[in-house]
Amino acid sequence: MKTIGLLGGMSWESTAVYYRLLNQGVKAQLGDHHSASIAMVSLDFEPIKALQFAGRWDEAAQILVNAARRIEAAGADFLLICTNTMHKLANVVQESIDIPLLHLADATAKRINEQGLTRIGLLGTQFTMTEDFYKRRLTQEHGIEVLIPAPSDCEIIHRIIYEELCHGIVRDESRDEYLRIIEILRSLGAEGVIEGCTEIAMLIQQFHTPVPLFDTTTIHAEQAVRMALTG
């Protein structure tokens, strides 16, 4: 079994889900008392959040690079960054380490392509929805057209992530807002919706909507289990 490297803590709520899914996935495949081999660094999110909102991405990158190198030194065979937003810095991190980085957007795009869908809505932080680092990768490397909500709805999604979900708060009224936005994306032609923030699945699961959802946390973890147990 390969050792999975986890760069987490952004937020710890979703990183805890990663840890659970990885161990459950390995146990499901190998049985008995098997669990995942994991090397993890969990960062303090408050300084990272401050750098995000200040646009000081170079400083955030150095924090992630240092953490990734620690994970590699601890024996990880490949790396997961346990947050969609910080994949803005994925290329910088990959260039700084010698182990492969399993890119969250690539794992998600693979699942979308397997289902034969080509037009997808994207929910996430303002950074993920409005900047090109995530959408461009989906479009240019995987042929997926990406729709994002209206600016006012992007603000609602972003606020709920940082003010509620990152604190483990799940509110019915916030779920209703997300479902309203998902329905708008469907009416605009979205064949499915990416839950492009690792906390969103805490709020919205597939049974809440008929629109196909792509839970990036689960998809990322499932591919990591396959990678750890094969090759």
Side-chain angles (χ1 to χ4, degrees):
M1 185 193 313
K2 297 185 182 74
T3 296
I4 303 168
L6 292 186
L7 178 42
M10 302 167 285
S11 69
W12 73 261
E13 293 281 352
S14 61
T15 303
V17 176
Y18 267 96
Y19 187 80
R20 174 175 55 80
L21 291 173
L22 292 169
N23 283 291
Q24 288 176 340
V26 169
K27 181 176 175 61
Q29 293 295 315
L30 302 181
D32 208 4
H33 288 83
H34 283 288
S35 57
S37 175
I38 295 173
M40 179 169 67
V41 170
S42 186
L43 296 171
D44 178 7
F45 189 31
E46 180 61 29
I48 299 291
K49 176 194 165 190
L51 293 172
Q52 289 176 339
F53 280 68
R56 293 158 59 186
W57 292 99
D58 288 347
E59 294 172 59
Q62 193 56 57
I63 294 172
L64 264 63
V65 164
N66 291 341
R69 287 171 173 164
R70 288 165 59 194
I71 293 168
E72 181 176 19
D77 293 294
F78 61 96
L79 179 69
L80 278 65
I81 301 176
C82 302
T83 156
N84 286 268
T85 297
M86 299 311 286
H87 275 72
K88 177 181 173 73
L89 306 175
N91 290 342
V92 176
V93 173
Q94 179 63 92
E95 290 168 0
S96 303
I97 57 177
D98 294 322
I99 57 175
L101 186 154
L102 179 55
H103 199 290
L104 194 154
D106 292 341
T108 302
K110 183 175 185 293
R111 185 69 57 86
I112 293 168
N113 287 333
E114 287 171 352
Q115 295 191 19
L117 307 183
T118 59
R119 200 173 198 210
I120 296 294
L122 174 64
L123 307 182
T125 66
Q126 286 272 22
F127 311 109
T128 301
M129 290 185 292
T130 62
E131 298 185 27
D132 281 341
F133 68 91
Y134 202 92
K135 296 180 294 183
R136 183 175 61 246
R137 193 175 187 103
L138 291 171
T139 300
Q140 294 184 355
E141 298 193 20
H142 301 283
I144 298 169
E145 182 182 355
V146 179
L147 304 177
I148 65 169
S152 59
D153 285 338
C154 285
E155 291 177 6
I156 291 170
I157 293 165
H158 184 84
R159 177 187 59 76
I160 290 170
I161 290 169
Y162 279 95
E163 295 182 9
E164 298 177 20
L165 299 180
C166 285
H167 295 294
I169 299 169
V170 176
R171 293 190 170 125
D172 290 341
E173 53 267 36
S174 296
R175 179 180 295 112
D176 290 342
E177 284 287 79
Y178 271 55
L179 291 173
R180 175 185 63 80
I181 294 166
I182 288 171
E183 181 57 27
I184 291 172
L185 290 170
R186 184 206 61 77
S187 72
L188 294 174
E191 301 167 307
V193 170
I194 296 172
E195 296 181 302
C197 176
T198 48
E199 286 83 14
I200 292 178
M202 296 164 56
L203 184 67
I204 302 290
Q205 289 85 47
Q206 188 61 74
F207 66 83
H208 289 122
T209 175
V211 178
L213 298 178
F214 295 89
D215 171 5
T216 58
T217 304
T218 298
I219 292 169
H220 206 198
E222 288 175 349
Q223 186 158 341
V225 169
R226 288 193 293 271
M227 193 168 174
L229 297 180
T230 60

